[in-house]
Structure formats: C-alpha cells, structure tokens
Short mmCIF file of all heavy atoms in Angstrom, two decimals:
data_model
loop_
_atom_site.label_atom_id
_atom_site.label_comp_id
_atom_site.label_asym_id
_atom_site.label_seq_id
_atom_site.Cartn_x
_atom_site.Cartn_y
_atom_site.Cartn_z
N GLY A 283 0.77 -1.18 0.01
CA GLY A 283 -0.02 0.00 0.01
C GLY A 283 0.81 1.29 -0.01
O GLY A 283 0.24 2.36 0.11
N THR A 284 2.14 1.14 -0.11
CA THR A 284 3.01 2.33 -0.02
C THR A 284 3.51 2.82 -1.33
O THR A 284 4.34 3.75 -1.44
CB THR A 284 4.17 2.06 0.90
OG1 THR A 284 4.99 1.05 0.29
CG2 THR A 284 3.76 1.57 2.26
N GLY A 285 3.10 2.16 -2.42
CA GLY A 285 3.64 2.50 -3.75
C GLY A 285 4.97 1.75 -4.04
O GLY A 285 5.53 1.93 -5.14
N ALA A 286 5.36 0.90 -3.11
CA ALA A 286 6.68 0.22 -3.29
C ALA A 286 6.59 -0.84 -4.45
O ALA A 286 7.58 -1.06 -5.15
CB ALA A 286 7.04 -0.55 -1.99
N LEU A 287 5.39 -1.35 -4.67
CA LEU A 287 5.30 -2.37 -5.74
C LEU A 287 5.52 -1.79 -7.12
O LEU A 287 6.32 -2.32 -7.87
CB LEU A 287 3.90 -3.05 -5.67
CG LEU A 287 3.64 -4.11 -6.79
CD1 LEU A 287 4.70 -5.24 -6.67
CD2 LEU A 287 2.25 -4.69 -6.59
N SER A 288 4.89 -0.71 -7.41
CA SER A 288 5.11 -0.09 -8.74
C SER A 288 6.50 0.42 -8.91
O SER A 288 7.12 0.30 -10.03
CB SER A 288 4.11 0.99 -9.01
OG SER A 288 4.23 2.04 -8.00
N ARG A 289 7.11 0.94 -7.84
CA ARG A 289 8.49 1.36 -7.96
C ARG A 289 9.40 0.16 -8.14
O ARG A 289 10.33 0.20 -8.99
CB ARG A 289 8.92 2.10 -6.64
CG ARG A 289 8.34 3.47 -6.50
CD ARG A 289 9.10 4.26 -5.41
NE ARG A 289 9.05 3.61 -4.12
CZ ARG A 289 8.05 3.75 -3.23
NH1 ARG A 289 7.07 4.62 -3.52
NH2 ARG A 289 8.09 3.14 -2.11
N ALA A 290 9.16 -0.92 -7.41
CA ALA A 290 10.01 -2.13 -7.57
C ALA A 290 9.89 -2.64 -9.00
O ALA A 290 10.89 -3.14 -9.58
CB ALA A 290 9.60 -3.15 -6.57
N ILE A 291 8.71 -2.62 -9.60
CA ILE A 291 8.52 -3.07 -10.97
C ILE A 291 9.31 -2.22 -11.96
O ILE A 291 10.01 -2.67 -12.84
CB ILE A 291 7.02 -3.14 -11.32
CG1 ILE A 291 6.39 -4.30 -10.55
CG2 ILE A 291 6.88 -3.30 -12.85
CD1 ILE A 291 4.88 -4.41 -10.78
N ARG A 292 9.21 -0.90 -11.78
CA ARG A 292 9.96 0.00 -12.69
C ARG A 292 11.46 -0.22 -12.59
O ARG A 292 12.13 -0.32 -13.57
CB ARG A 292 9.66 1.43 -12.28
CG ARG A 292 8.26 1.96 -12.67
CD ARG A 292 8.28 3.47 -12.73
NE ARG A 292 8.80 4.16 -11.58
CZ ARG A 292 8.17 4.44 -10.49
NH1 ARG A 292 6.93 4.04 -10.38
NH2 ARG A 292 8.76 5.05 -9.50
N TYR A 293 11.95 -0.35 -11.35
CA TYR A 293 13.41 -0.56 -11.18
C TYR A 293 13.83 -1.94 -11.74
O TYR A 293 14.89 -2.00 -12.36
CB TYR A 293 13.80 -0.47 -9.68
CG TYR A 293 13.53 0.87 -9.09
CD1 TYR A 293 13.34 1.01 -7.74
CD2 TYR A 293 13.50 2.04 -9.88
CE1 TYR A 293 13.16 2.27 -7.14
CE2 TYR A 293 13.32 3.28 -9.32
CZ TYR A 293 13.08 3.38 -7.98
OH TYR A 293 12.90 4.65 -7.41
N ALA A 294 13.04 -2.95 -11.51
CA ALA A 294 13.36 -4.28 -11.99
C ALA A 294 13.32 -4.30 -13.59
O ALA A 294 14.22 -4.90 -14.18
CB ALA A 294 12.34 -5.32 -11.53
N ARG A 295 12.40 -3.65 -14.16
CA ARG A 295 12.43 -3.59 -15.66
C ARG A 295 13.61 -2.78 -16.15
O ARG A 295 14.22 -3.14 -17.15
CB ARG A 295 11.12 -2.84 -16.13
CG ARG A 295 9.90 -3.83 -16.14
CD ARG A 295 8.66 -3.03 -16.35
NE ARG A 295 8.67 -2.16 -17.56
CZ ARG A 295 8.22 -2.55 -18.79
NH1 ARG A 295 7.82 -3.81 -18.94
NH2 ARG A 295 8.34 -1.71 -19.79
N GLY A 296 13.96 -1.74 -15.44
CA GLY A 296 15.18 -0.93 -15.86
C GLY A 296 16.43 -1.74 -15.76
O GLY A 296 17.24 -1.74 -16.69
N ARG A 297 16.56 -2.53 -14.61
CA ARG A 297 17.73 -3.37 -14.52
C ARG A 297 17.77 -4.47 -15.58
O ARG A 297 18.81 -4.76 -16.16
CB ARG A 297 17.76 -3.97 -13.10
CG ARG A 297 18.13 -3.03 -12.00
CD ARG A 297 18.44 -3.69 -10.69
NE ARG A 297 17.20 -4.35 -10.17
CZ ARG A 297 16.43 -3.83 -9.30
NH1 ARG A 297 16.63 -2.55 -8.88
NH2 ARG A 297 15.37 -4.48 -8.86
N ALA A 298 16.61 -5.04 -15.84
CA ALA A 298 16.57 -6.10 -16.87
C ALA A 298 16.91 -5.57 -18.23
O ALA A 298 17.64 -6.24 -19.01
CB ALA A 298 15.18 -6.69 -16.91
N THR A 299 16.48 -4.36 -18.56
CA THR A 299 16.84 -3.71 -19.85
C THR A 299 18.31 -3.48 -19.93
O THR A 299 18.99 -3.72 -20.95
CB THR A 299 16.09 -2.42 -20.03
OG1 THR A 299 14.63 -2.72 -20.05
CG2 THR A 299 16.42 -1.78 -21.37
N ALA A 300 18.93 -2.97 -18.87
CA ALA A 300 20.32 -2.69 -18.85
C ALA A 300 21.13 -3.98 -18.99
O ALA A 300 22.14 -4.03 -19.73
CB ALA A 300 20.71 -2.01 -17.53
N ILE A 301 20.73 -5.02 -18.30
CA ILE A 301 21.46 -6.28 -18.42
C ILE A 301 21.37 -6.83 -19.83
O ILE A 301 22.33 -7.36 -20.39
CB ILE A 301 20.89 -7.36 -17.38
CG1 ILE A 301 21.29 -6.89 -16.00
CG2 ILE A 301 21.39 -8.70 -17.68
CD1 ILE A 301 20.55 -7.68 -14.88
N GLU A 302 20.17 -6.80 -20.36
CA GLU A 302 19.98 -7.27 -21.73
C GLU A 302 20.87 -6.52 -22.74
O GLU A 302 21.48 -7.10 -23.65
CB GLU A 302 18.48 -7.11 -22.21
CG GLU A 302 18.18 -7.64 -23.55
CD GLU A 302 16.75 -7.49 -23.95
OE1 GLU A 302 15.94 -6.98 -23.14
OE2 GLU A 302 16.34 -7.83 -25.05
N SER A 303 21.01 -5.19 -22.53
CA SER A 303 21.86 -4.43 -23.39
C SER A 303 23.32 -4.81 -23.28
O SER A 303 24.03 -4.94 -24.27
CB SER A 303 21.68 -2.91 -23.07
OG SER A 303 22.53 -2.11 -23.85
N ILE A 304 23.74 -5.04 -22.04
CA ILE A 304 25.12 -5.44 -21.78
C ILE A 304 25.43 -6.79 -22.46
O ILE A 304 26.45 -7.01 -23.09
CB ILE A 304 25.40 -5.45 -20.30
CG1 ILE A 304 25.39 -4.06 -19.76
CG2 ILE A 304 26.77 -6.13 -20.07
CD1 ILE A 304 25.49 -4.01 -18.22
N VAL A 305 24.47 -7.77 -22.24
CA VAL A 305 24.67 -9.08 -22.87
C VAL A 305 24.73 -9.00 -24.38
O VAL A 305 25.52 -9.65 -25.04
CB VAL A 305 23.51 -10.02 -22.37
CG1 VAL A 305 23.53 -11.31 -23.20
CG2 VAL A 305 23.64 -10.28 -20.88
N HIS A 306 23.88 -8.17 -24.96
CA HIS A 306 23.86 -7.99 -26.42
C HIS A 306 25.21 -7.42 -26.89
O HIS A 306 25.70 -7.90 -27.89
CB HIS A 306 22.70 -7.08 -26.83
CG HIS A 306 22.58 -6.89 -28.32
ND1 HIS A 306 22.31 -7.86 -29.20
CD2 HIS A 306 22.74 -5.74 -29.05
CE1 HIS A 306 22.34 -7.36 -30.42
NE2 HIS A 306 22.61 -6.09 -30.36
N ARG A 307 25.66 -6.41 -26.27
CA ARG A 307 26.93 -5.81 -26.68
C ARG A 307 28.10 -6.73 -26.52
O ARG A 307 28.97 -6.84 -27.32
CB ARG A 307 27.22 -4.50 -25.85
CG ARG A 307 26.32 -3.35 -26.22
CD ARG A 307 26.94 -2.02 -25.75
NE ARG A 307 27.17 -2.02 -24.33
CZ ARG A 307 26.25 -1.55 -23.45
NH1 ARG A 307 25.13 -1.08 -23.87
NH2 ARG A 307 26.53 -1.57 -22.16
N ASP A 308 28.08 -7.55 -25.40
CA ASP A 308 29.11 -8.52 -25.20
C ASP A 308 29.07 -9.61 -26.28
O ASP A 308 30.11 -10.03 -26.77
CB ASP A 308 28.92 -9.21 -23.83
CG ASP A 308 30.01 -10.20 -23.50
OD1 ASP A 308 31.17 -9.80 -23.35
OD2 ASP A 308 29.68 -11.41 -23.48
N SER A 309 27.89 -10.05 -26.66
CA SER A 309 27.73 -11.04 -27.75
C SER A 309 28.29 -10.49 -29.09
O SER A 309 28.97 -11.20 -29.82
CB SER A 309 26.26 -11.41 -27.86
OG SER A 309 26.10 -12.30 -28.98
N GLN A 310 27.98 -9.20 -29.39
CA GLN A 310 28.50 -8.61 -30.59
C GLN A 310 29.99 -8.51 -30.57
O GLN A 310 30.66 -8.77 -31.58
CB GLN A 310 27.89 -7.21 -30.79
CG GLN A 310 26.35 -7.20 -31.17
CD GLN A 310 25.90 -5.82 -31.45
OE1 GLN A 310 26.13 -4.92 -30.62
NE2 GLN A 310 25.12 -5.64 -32.47
N LEU A 311 30.56 -8.07 -29.45
CA LEU A 311 31.99 -7.99 -29.30
C LEU A 311 32.65 -9.31 -29.51
O LEU A 311 33.71 -9.42 -30.18
CB LEU A 311 32.37 -7.39 -27.95
CG LEU A 311 33.85 -7.26 -27.64
CD1 LEU A 311 34.57 -6.33 -28.64
CD2 LEU A 311 34.09 -6.74 -26.20
N ARG A 312 32.09 -10.37 -28.90
CA ARG A 312 32.67 -11.69 -29.06
C ARG A 312 32.61 -12.19 -30.49
O ARG A 312 33.55 -12.77 -30.95
CB ARG A 312 31.97 -12.68 -28.12
CG ARG A 312 32.29 -12.48 -26.67
CD ARG A 312 31.63 -13.54 -25.79
NE ARG A 312 32.12 -13.40 -24.39
CZ ARG A 312 33.23 -14.01 -23.97
NH1 ARG A 312 33.94 -14.77 -24.75
NH2 ARG A 312 33.63 -13.88 -22.71
N LEU A 313 31.53 -11.85 -31.19
CA LEU A 313 31.37 -12.28 -32.58
C LEU A 313 32.42 -11.60 -33.46
O LEU A 313 33.06 -12.21 -34.25
CB LEU A 313 29.97 -11.93 -33.09
CG LEU A 313 29.70 -12.24 -34.56
CD1 LEU A 313 29.90 -13.74 -34.86
CD2 LEU A 313 28.31 -11.75 -34.96
N ILE A 314 32.54 -10.25 -33.23
CA ILE A 314 33.57 -9.51 -34.01
C ILE A 314 34.97 -10.01 -33.70
O ILE A 314 35.76 -10.23 -34.61
CB ILE A 314 33.41 -8.01 -33.74
CG1 ILE A 314 32.08 -7.45 -34.23
CG2 ILE A 314 34.56 -7.25 -34.35
CD1 ILE A 314 31.77 -6.05 -33.82
N SER A 315 35.26 -10.21 -32.41
CA SER A 315 36.59 -10.60 -32.03
C SER A 315 36.98 -11.99 -32.54
O SER A 315 38.10 -12.20 -32.95
CB SER A 315 36.68 -10.61 -30.52
OG SER A 315 36.43 -9.31 -29.93
N SER A 316 35.94 -12.85 -32.56
CA SER A 316 36.21 -14.23 -33.05
C SER A 316 36.56 -14.29 -34.50
O SER A 316 37.17 -15.23 -35.01
CB SER A 316 35.06 -15.16 -32.75
OG SER A 316 33.92 -14.76 -33.55
N GLN A 317 36.23 -13.24 -35.28
CA GLN A 317 36.41 -13.21 -36.70
C GLN A 317 37.64 -12.39 -37.09
O GLN A 317 38.04 -12.36 -38.29
CB GLN A 317 35.18 -12.61 -37.44
CG GLN A 317 33.94 -13.48 -37.26
CD GLN A 317 32.72 -12.86 -37.79
OE1 GLN A 317 32.67 -11.67 -38.05
NE2 GLN A 317 31.61 -13.67 -37.94
N LEU A 318 38.27 -11.72 -36.16
CA LEU A 318 39.39 -10.89 -36.48
C LEU A 318 40.64 -11.77 -36.74
O LEU A 318 40.84 -12.81 -36.11
CB LEU A 318 39.74 -9.93 -35.27
CG LEU A 318 38.75 -8.78 -35.05
CD1 LEU A 318 39.17 -8.08 -33.75
CD2 LEU A 318 38.77 -7.83 -36.22
N PRO A 319 41.51 -11.34 -37.64
CA PRO A 319 42.80 -12.09 -37.87
C PRO A 319 43.80 -11.70 -36.78
O PRO A 319 44.87 -11.23 -37.02
CB PRO A 319 43.25 -11.53 -39.23
CG PRO A 319 42.68 -10.18 -39.34
CD PRO A 319 41.36 -10.23 -38.59
#
C-alpha cells in the first residue's frame, strides 16, 4: 500500500533492460573478435 510495488517493478524492468543491453553488446563484441585475424 505504499507504492513500493510499482517502484520495484519500474526498477526491475530498468535493470533487466540494462542487463539485456550489456549481454547483447558482449555477444556482438565476441562475434567480431572471433572473426578478427
């Protein structure tokens, strides 16, 4: 009843989006690196 739930959801979604972005960039870097001579 304190508004904590909606705040927790917003923060959780924000963290999930940030993690997804980091994983995606890491995957791209690994793909590029694996193809370099």
Side-chain angles (χ1 to χ4, degrees):
T284 65
L287 179 57
S288 58
R289 287 196 301 272
I291 289 176
R292 288 200 311 273
Y293 296 155
R295 280 168 55 90
R297 286 191 294 267
T299 299
I301 291 171
E302 183 180 357
S303 177
I304 292 170
V305 170
H306 179 66
R307 287 200 300 268
D308 182 67
S309 177
Q310 287 183 316
L311 177 60
R312 286 182 174 274
L313 177 61
I314 293 170
S315 300
S316 68
Q317 297 173 345
L318 288 174

